[in-house]
Amino acid sequence: MASSLLSRQLTRSLRPNLHLAAPGCRYVSKTAAKPVSEFEYDAPSMKTPVPGPKSKNVGAVNFFCNYEESRGNYLVDADGNRMLDLYTQISSVPIGYNHPALMKAVTNPIHLSAFVNRPALGILPPENFPEKLVESLLSIAPTGMTRVQTMACGSCSNENAYKAMFIWYKVKGNVGLSRRKLRTHMRHPHYIVFLQGPGCPDLSILSFMGGFHGRTLGCLATTHSKVIHKLDIPSFDWPIASFPRLQYPLEEFVRENAQEEARCLEEVEDLIVKWRQKGKPVAGIVVEPIQAEGGDNHASPDFFIKLRNIARKHGCAFHVDEVQTGGGTTGKFWAHEHWGTDDPADIVSFSKKMLTGGYYHKDELVPDKGYRIFNTWMGDPSKNVFLTEVLNVIRRENLLDEVTRSGKVLLQGLYELQAQYPHILSRARGQGTFCAVDARDDVTRDNLLLKTRDKGVLLGGCGDRSIRFRPALVFKEYHAHQFLNIFNDVLSEYK
Amino acid sequence: MASSLLSRQLTRSLRPNLHLAAPGCRYVSKTAAKPVSEFEYDAPSMKTPVPGPKSKNVGAVNFFCNYEESRGNYLVDADGNRMLDLYTQISSVPIGYNHPALMKAVTNPIHLSAFVNRPALGILPPENFPEKLVESLLSIAPTGMTRVQTMACGSCSNENAYKAMFIWYKVKGNVGLSRRKLRTHMRHPHYIVFLQGPGCPDLSILSFMGGFHGRTLGCLATTHSKVIHKLDIPSFDWPIASFPRLQYPLEEFVRENAQEEARCLEEVEDLIVKWRQKGKPVAGIVVEPIQAEGGDNHASPDFFIKLRNIARKHGCAFHVDEVQTGGGTTGKFWAHEHWGTDDPADIVSFSKKMLTGGYYHKDELVPDKGYRIFNTWMGDPSKNVFLTEVLNVIRRENLLDEVTRSGKVLLQGLYELQAQYPHILSRARGQGTFCAVDARDDVTRDNLLLKTRDKGVLLGGCGDRSIRFRPALVFKEYHAHQFLNIFNDVLSEYK
C-alpha cells in the first residue's frame, strides 16, 4: 500500500531553516521530518477543483468522499483529490481516517456482539459494560466526577444534562408545588392536564451570546451562534448573558479584557436575579470553555472560575459543554483543565471526538428515581469499543504532547502570517491545535476557505469571519508546516 | 454450536392438537414445528430467578445480559438464564440476536470504512451514500414520500421533524414578521437579541393524551404517557387533544367507539382554532398509529384518515410517528399502511427496528435553505449497512407474512386466555405481533411480568396496566405457542 500513498513533491519543496521571507515568498519557518507511518499519505494531491465532477452539489453537501482511500490526516474525495484535513468532520475524528487500531477493533471477533446487538443500555446492559466504562469513559473523568451517562449524540447529551439539572434543582430546592401535592395531582383521573401547569415548572438555563449547544429544541434555546439556527423555531424565555469579546493581542489589552470579563460576570448575576424575580429561576448555567461555532471566543481561566463561583453562590448547577473542546484537542483531555481548578463543574457533556455522546456528573446530579433520564438506546456500546482503542492510542503515542507541540507550530505560524498579511488576517488564537484566525470579513474568509481547499487543505469557518482549525490528534508538526506553506501560497496570491 | 443450543424439554411438552382444556391445564391450541434454524435455541432455560446473582440491580437496570450467547428470539442473561424475548430491547431488535446476516456484514471488508470513519453526513457524505439510501431506506419509503433525512435516534428524529414542520409552516405562510424585515433585523449589530422575539415565533405542535414522542425538551412537550417523564422539566404551551379510548371487544361497541372517535376529532379542530386565536398556531399534528408507551391505544383507520384531513384543512403538517410501530411489526412495513390511504402523512419518523433514526417527508417539507436541519453526524452509515441486510432478510424470508401469521396465533391465544382468566386479563388487541392485553390493575400487571420472566419469557409493560408484546420479526408461530404455554402456566397459578 505504502508505495501508492507516497507523493513526495510537497515534501521535497520544504526547504530547511528558512525563516519568514518577504511577502509572497514561500512560508517555511522550519521543516519537520515526516513521522514514520506506513498507513498515512505524505501530502495533499489535487486532481480537480473541489467539488469535482463526481461531487454533485446537493443542499449543504460540500463534496462526496472516498473514505476507503482516506488515511490519517488526509481525506480523499470522490474525484481522487487528497486533502490535508484540518476540519475532520466538524471536529469529530479523533485519530485520523482508517486508523489501524480501529480497523483491528471491528474485525476482532470479541467485539462482534457489541456491533450486532445494540441493547437498551438503560435497562439491559451487557454484563461487562460497567467495567468497560471504567476502562474507557471513567478513566478520563473530569476532576470531581465519578459518574457518566452515555447518550447517542451531542444534542441528546445536552438535552439530558439540562433535564438532570432541572430535576436536581427541583428535588434539592423543593421549589414551587410540593411533592406531596403533586402526588395528589398525579392520582387525579385527568392528572395529565396538570402537565402544562404545576408539574412543568418555569425553570431556565442561562446561556451566553455566541454559545452553541445543539439544535434540538431545548439545546436551541441556549444556542446563539447564528440567527439561521433559531429562525422560525419556538423557544423558551431563558436568560442570555454576554460572553467576553477579548481584544488581541491579549498582552496589549490586559486591563480592557479584565474589565470586559468583569462586565459579563456582572451581567450573569443580574440575569440570575432578574429571572428569579420573573418566576423562572435559573437551574443551571451552560458554557463552552471556548465558544466554538460562535467564532472561537476565548475567556481567561479567571473568568470561568468566577463564573463557576457565581453558579455555586446562586444555587445553579454549572454545566461545561465540552462537545467540541473535549477529547484532547486543546492539549489537555478537557479544555476546562486549563483553568487549574479542582471543582470545575457539576456536569460536563461530550460527543464528537469521543465517538459517543454523554455527560459526566457529580453524585448530586443523580436523579431521585430511575427512568427520569432515559431513552431506548442511551448510547451505543460499539462506540465504546472504538473509544477504548482511541484512548489506548492517545496514551501509547502521547498524543496530548503531540497536540501541544503541533499546536505551538500552528499558532506561531498563524502569528507570523497575520504579521505578514495584516490586511487579511488578525486575532490568531488557540489552545493546543484548537486554533483560529480572523479574516477581514466574511467574504474574504469564505474565499480563503475555498482557495485553500483547492490547494489541498480542508478548513472550516466559525463565527462571522473566523477560520477554525480542528485537526485530529494525530496532526503533527510536519502537517502544521505543510498547511502553513499552502496557506501562505493562498495568502500571497490573495488580492 | 447447535448441540449446545438444543434444549428439548419444552418442545417435547407441546402436545398436538389439544384445544383449550379446563382452567389450570396447559394451554395448547396447536403445535407448530420448530422452524429449521441452526443458529437459534429451541426454548427458554432458566437457572436462577431474574435478576440473578450476577445482575446487580443498579437504578433502572433490569439485569445484565450475555449478548454473545443470545440467539434469535432468545436473550441470555449474565447468569446463563435463557429467555424467549418478546420485548426485544424496547422493540428495537428487528431480526433477533446475532443474526448471521449481520455478523457477516460487520466482518465484510467492504463495510469496514463505514464502521471506522463516521462522517459528517450533512456536508461530507460517502460517495455512494445516495445510492445506499435508495437501496435501503428509500426502498421502503411510505406512499407519497421520496425523501428521507437520517438522524441518530428517535428523539432527534422527532425534534428535527418538528423543526421541519415549523420551517415549512413559516415559509409557506410567511406568517408574522416578513422575511425582508427579518433580514434587516439580522444585519442589526445586536440581532441576536431579537431571537427571543420575532425570529422565534409562537408556533405549536398538537399532540395527544397518552402519546409518546421522546424525552428531549421539544419531544417531551408532545409526550403525555406518564407524568414522571415530564415532571420538573419546563415545557411549551402546546395543545393536547384526547386520543380515543376504545371499548373492547370492538364488535360489541361499534357505535360507542365511533362516537368516541368523533368526539376526539372535534376536540382536535377546537384546539386548532383556539390555539390560532391564542396567537400560537398549530404548525403540525403528531400522532402514533398505535399509541405504544401510552398503553397500546388503537384507533380506526377512519379516525386517522379524518385526522389527516383536518390537518390538511387547517394547513397543519401531519406527522405520523412510527418509531415504535414501523419496521414490519404490524405485518405491514408501516403501521399507517393499514389505513389504506394514498396520502397518509407529510412526515413519517422512525428509529428502533430501523436501527437508524430519521424521517421521510414530502418535497414541500424540504427547508428553504441548507443547514436549517443539521447536526454533526446526522445519522450513521454503519447503521445503514445493517439496515440493508435486515431488509434483505425481511424480503428473502417473507418476514411480514410470518409476522401476520405468528401475530394471529398470538392474538388468538390472548383472546382465549382472557376468556379463560377474565378476572385477570381483558382488552386483548393488536396488529401483527404488535399486541397487548390489559391486566386488572398495575400491581397484577407488574407481578405477571415478573412471574413470566422467571419462567423464561421477557415481556414489557406500557400504559397503566397493559402488557405489550414486541417480538422481533423472526418470531414464528412456534414461539407464539411457546409463550402462550408459559403464560398459561403463570395465569393458572396466579391468585
Side-chain angles (χ1 to χ4, degrees):
Chain A
M1 186 172 72
S3 80
S4 77
L5 304 183
L6 294 176
S7 160
R8 297 253 165 220
Q9 319 88 290
L10 242 145
T11 318
R12 264 185 267 119
S13 81
L14 294 169
R15 284 161 299 159
N17 296 319
L18 260 182
H19 237 278
L20 264 185
C25 287
R26 202 112 244 248
Y27 170 98
V28 188
S29 63
K30 225 199 233 177
T31 52
K34 167 82 176 77
V36 184
S37 164
E38 261 296 293
F39 92 99
E40 211 192 21
Y41 297 99
D42 268 10
S45 156
M46 301 304 287
K47 297 179 174 162
T48 74
V50 179
K54 290 191 184 161
S55 281
K56 301 134 253 171
N57 219 332
V58 187
V61 165
N62 293 357
F63 54 83
F64 288 94
C65 302
N66 184 336
Y67 287 105
E68 285 79 4
E69 291 299 315
S70 301
R71 298 279 183 285
N73 291 282
Y74 297 92
L75 176 67
V76 176
D77 78 0
D79 292 281
N81 297 302
R82 180 202 307 155
M83 290 162 262
L84 177 66
D85 189 356
L86 278 83
Y87 195 39
T88 62
Q89 312 296 323
I90 320 183
S91 201
S92 69
V93 178
I95 52 173
Y97 297 103
N98 288 306
H99 195 288
L102 303 187
M103 309 280 266
K104 248 168 93 179
V106 186
T107 44
N108 188 339
I110 213 176
H111 297 141
L112 208 49
S113 167
F115 286 96
V116 165
N117 304 300
R118 190 175 187 178
L121 267 179
I123 50 172
L124 297 165
E127 55 185 324
N128 50 8
F129 197 64
E131 292 79 44
K132 298 245 176 230
L133 286 184
V134 168
E135 210 183 298
S136 60
L137 283 167
L138 290 172
S139 77
I140 41 159
T143 314
M145 294 181 206
T146 53
R147 292 173 182 270
V148 70
Q149 175 61 64
T150 57
M151 286 285 159
C153 69
S155 297
C156 279
S157 305
N158 285 339
E159 289 275 342
N160 281 285
Y162 295 176
K163 288 177 62 175
M165 294 194 285
F166 289 133
I167 293 169
W168 162 84
Y169 189 84
K170 289 294 299 230
V171 171
K172 92 179 156 83
N174 212 353
V175 205
L177 191 74
S178 81
R179 313 302 281 188
R180 181 182 300 177
K181 205 162 164 191
L182 192 70
R183 274 197 299 276
T184 317
H185 279 304
M186 284 167 74
R187 277 195 294 267
H188 190 281
H190 294 106
Y191 61 76
I192 211 90
V193 301
F194 291 109
L195 287 181
Q196 291 180 321
C200 294
D202 258 342
L203 295 178
S204 62
I205 301 285
L206 183 142
S207 56
F208 289 89
M209 304 280 229
F212 181 95
H213 304 286
R215 298 173 60 162
T216 49
L217 267 66
C219 294
L220 195 56
T222 58
T223 284
H224 320 283
S225 55
K226 286 203 180 72
V227 170
I228 191 72
H229 293 160
K230 298 172 76 84
L231 189 62
D232 300 338
I233 316 297
S235 195
F236 291 104
D237 174 25
W238 292 352
I240 313 166
S242 300
F243 191 82
R245 301 292 290 181
L246 301 187
Q247 297 181 68
Y248 288 82
L250 294 177
E251 56 281 11
E252 284 179 26
F253 294 95
V254 175
R255 200 169 49 91
E256 291 84 346
N257 288 337
Q259 279 171 351
E260 166 69 355
E261 293 191 340
R263 179 186 73 82
C264 295
L265 292 169
E266 205 176 304
E267 196 179 313
V268 168
E269 288 213 68
D270 287 350
L271 287 168
I272 293 174
V273 172
K274 203 169 151 197
W275 254 255
R276 192 189 300 139
Q277 286 163 351
K278 260 189 173 193
K280 300 179 178 182
V282 175
I285 296 175
V286 63
V287 72
E288 297 155 275
I290 303 166
Q291 283 191 338
E293 303 297 314
D296 273 35
N297 306 317
H298 293 248
S300 72
D302 183 60
F303 170 80
F304 288 104
I305 291 168
K306 283 180 176 153
L307 182 64
R308 201 269 168 279
N309 290 340
I310 289 173
R312 202 184 287 108
K313 172 180 160 193
H314 289 276
C316 317
F318 191 59
H319 172 183
V320 177
D321 177 346
E322 294 246 22
V323 167
Q324 191 154 165
T325 51
T329 170
T330 66
K332 296 195 184 278
F333 206 91
W334 303 108
H336 69 249
E337 292 175 52
H338 292 281
W339 306 344
T341 164
D342 56 5
D343 184 24
D346 298 308
I347 224 165
V348 172
S349 57
F350 56 83
S351 188
K352 291 189 181 268
K353 277 195 176 54
M354 304 293 288
L355 303 175
T356 173
Y359 60 87
Y360 297 96
H361 59 94
K362 290 193 171 175
D363 289 358
E364 303 94 275
L365 272 284
V366 178
D368 56 337
K369 285 191 200 69
Y371 296 107
R372 299 202 65 181
I373 298 290
F374 193 80
N375 60 46
T376 300
W377 287 320
M378 300 191 88
D380 184 342
S382 76
K383 302 300 179 192
N384 199 58
V385 168
F386 286 135
L387 177 62
T388 306
E389 293 304 321
V390 166
L391 296 177
N392 287 340
V393 170
I394 290 177
R395 284 169 190 136
R396 198 167 58 227
E397 303 183 3
N398 291 313
L399 289 186
L400 299 193
D401 293 348
E402 292 280 356
V403 163
T404 304
R405 237 187 326 266
S406 57
K408 266 186 195 145
V409 172
L410 177 59
L411 190 55
Q412 186 56 37
L414 293 173
Y415 286 147
E416 294 175 18
L417 287 173
Q418 80 182 7
Q420 199 175 347
Y421 304 100
H423 56 298
I424 309 179
L425 298 182
S426 64
R427 298 181 82 239
R429 56 203 184 274
Q431 211 156 37
T433 55
F434 198 103
C435 294
V437 68
D438 282 8
R440 69 176 165 232
D441 53 42
D442 55 343
V443 176
T444 304
R445 190 265 312 271
D446 294 349
N447 279 334
L448 287 175
L449 293 180
L450 293 179
K451 284 177 191 294
T452 311
R453 188 168 78 181
D454 278 341
K455 286 194 189 285
V457 176
L458 197 57
L459 295 170
C462 65
D464 296 333
R465 55 194 184 95
S466 301
I467 295 169
R468 61 174 149 174
F469 303 93
R470 298 291 188 272
L473 306 178
V474 292
F475 181 84
K476 307 287 170 75
E477 292 177 78
Y478 170 86
H479 303 104
H481 287 295
Q482 197 165 73
F483 155 70
L484 291 165
N485 272 295
I486 292 170
F487 199 42
N488 183 58
D489 285 353
V490 171
L491 292 165
S492 68
E493 291 164 12
Y494 199 81
K495 274 144 210 91
Chain B
M1 185 173 73
S3 79
S4 76
L5 303 184
L6 295 177
S7 158
R8 295 253 165 221
Q9 319 89 291
L10 243 145
T11 317
R12 263 185 267 119
S13 79
L14 294 169
R15 285 162 297 161
N17 295 320
L18 261 183
H19 236 277
L20 263 184
C25 286
R26 202 113 244 247
Y27 170 98
V28 187
S29 62
K30 226 199 231 176
T31 52
K34 167 82 176 76
V36 184
S37 166
E38 260 296 293
F39 92 97
E40 212 194 20
Y41 297 99
D42 269 7
S45 157
M46 301 303 288
K47 297 179 175 162
T48 73
V50 180
K54 290 191 184 158
S55 281
K56 299 134 256 173
N57 219 332
V58 186
V61 165
N62 294 357
F63 54 85
F64 288 94
C65 301
N66 183 336
Y67 287 105
E68 285 79 4
E69 291 299 315
S70 301
R71 296 279 182 286
N73 291 282
Y74 297 91
L75 175 66
V76 176
D77 78 359
D79 293 280
N81 296 302
R82 180 201 309 153
M83 289 162 263
L84 177 66
D85 190 356
L86 279 82
Y87 195 39
T88 62
Q89 312 297 323
I90 320 182
S91 201
S92 69
V93 178
I95 53 172
Y97 297 103
N98 288 308
H99 195 288
L102 303 186
M103 309 280 266
K104 247 168 91 180
V106 186
T107 45
N108 187 340
I110 213 175
H111 298 140
L112 209 50
S113 167
F115 286 97
V116 166
N117 304 301
R118 189 173 188 179
L121 266 179
I123 50 171
L124 297 165
E127 54 184 324
N128 50 9
F129 198 63
E131 292 80 44
K132 298 245 175 230
L133 287 183
V134 168
E135 210 183 298
S136 60
L137 283 167
L138 290 172
S139 77
I140 41 159
T143 314
M145 294 181 205
T146 53
R147 291 173 183 269
V148 69
Q149 175 61 63
T150 56
M151 287 283 159
C153 69
S155 297
C156 278
S157 306
N158 285 338
E159 290 274 343
N160 281 285
Y162 294 176
K163 287 177 64 174
M165 295 193 286
F166 289 132
I167 292 169
W168 163 84
Y169 190 84
K170 288 294 300 228
V171 171
K172 92 178 155 83
N174 211 354
V175 205
L177 192 73
S178 81
R179 313 302 282 188
R180 180 182 300 178
K181 205 162 164 193
L182 193 68
R183 273 198 299 278
T184 317
H185 278 305
M186 285 167 74
R187 276 195 294 267
H188 189 282
H190 295 105
Y191 61 75
I192 210 91
V193 301
F194 290 108
L195 287 181
Q196 290 180 323
C200 294
D202 258 342
L203 295 178
S204 61
I205 301 286
L206 184 142
S207 56
F208 288 89
M209 305 277 228
F212 181 96
H213 304 286
R215 299 172 59 162
T216 47
L217 268 65
C219 293
L220 195 57
T222 59
T223 284
H224 321 282
S225 56
K226 286 202 180 72
V227 171
I228 191 73
H229 293 161
K230 298 171 76 83
L231 189 63
D232 301 338
I233 316 296
S235 196
F236 290 104
D237 174 25
W238 292 353
I240 313 166
S242 301
F243 191 82
R245 302 292 290 179
L246 301 188
Q247 296 181 67
Y248 288 82
L250 295 177
E251 55 280 12
E252 283 178 28
F253 294 96
V254 174
R255 202 170 46 92
E256 291 84 347
N257 288 338
Q259 279 172 349
E260 167 69 355
E261 292 191 342
R263 179 186 72 82
C264 294
L265 291 169
E266 204 175 306
E267 197 178 312
V268 168
E269 287 213 70
D270 288 350
L271 287 169
I272 292 174
V273 172
K274 203 169 151 198
W275 253 255
R276 193 190 299 140
Q277 287 164 349
K278 261 189 173 193
K280 299 179 180 182
V282 175
I285 296 177
V286 63
V287 73
E288 298 155 275
I290 303 167
Q291 283 192 336
E293 303 297 314
D296 274 33
N297 306 317
H298 293 248
S300 72
D302 183 60
F303 171 80
F304 288 105
I305 291 168
K306 284 180 175 152
L307 183 63
R308 202 269 170 276
N309 290 341
I310 289 174
R312 203 184 286 110
K313 173 180 160 194
H314 289 275
C316 317
F318 191 59
H319 171 184
V320 177
D321 177 347
E322 294 246 24
V323 168
Q324 192 154 166
T325 51
T329 172
T330 67
K332 296 195 185 279
F333 206 90
W334 302 108
H336 69 249
E337 292 175 52
H338 293 280
W339 307 343
T341 165
D342 57 5
D343 183 24
D346 298 306
I347 228 167
V348 172
S349 57
F350 56 83
S351 188
K352 290 189 181 269
K353 277 193 176 53
M354 303 293 287
L355 303 174
T356 173
Y359 60 89
Y360 298 96
H361 59 95
K362 290 193 170 174
D363 289 359
E364 303 94 275
L365 272 283
V366 178
D368 57 335
K369 284 191 200 68
Y371 295 108
R372 299 203 67 182
I373 299 291
F374 193 80
N375 61 47
T376 300
W377 287 320
M378 302 191 86
D380 183 343
S382 76
K383 303 301 178 191
N384 198 59
V385 168
F386 286 135
L387 177 62
T388 306
E389 293 304 322
V390 166
L391 295 177
N392 287 340
V393 171
I394 290 177
R395 284 170 190 135
R396 198 167 58 227
E397 303 183 4
N398 291 313
L399 289 186
L400 298 193
D401 293 346
E402 292 280 355
V403 163
T404 304
R405 238 190 321 270
S406 58
K408 265 186 197 145
V409 173
L410 177 60
L411 190 56
Q412 187 56 38
L414 292 173
Y415 286 148
E416 294 176 19
L417 287 174
Q418 79 182 5
Q420 198 175 347
Y421 304 99
H423 55 298
I424 309 180
L425 298 182
S426 66
R427 300 180 80 240
R429 58 204 182 275
Q431 211 155 38
T433 55
F434 198 103
C435 294
V437 68
D438 282 6
R440 69 175 163 234
D441 53 42
D442 56 343
V443 176
T444 304
R445 190 266 311 269
D446 294 348
N447 280 334
L448 287 175
L449 293 181
L450 294 180
K451 283 178 193 295
T452 311
R453 189 168 76 179
D454 279 340
K455 287 195 190 284
V457 176
L458 197 57
L459 295 169
C462 65
D464 296 334
R465 55 195 185 94
S466 301
I467 295 169
R468 62 174 149 175
F469 303 92
R470 299 289 188 273
L473 307 177
V474 292
F475 181 83
K476 308 287 170 75
E477 292 177 75
Y478 170 86
H479 304 104
H481 288 293
Q482 198 166 71
F483 156 70
L484 290 165
N485 272 296
I486 292 171
F487 199 41
N488 183 58
D489 285 352
V490 171
L491 292 165
S492 68
E493 289 163 13
Y494 198 79
K495 274 144 209 97

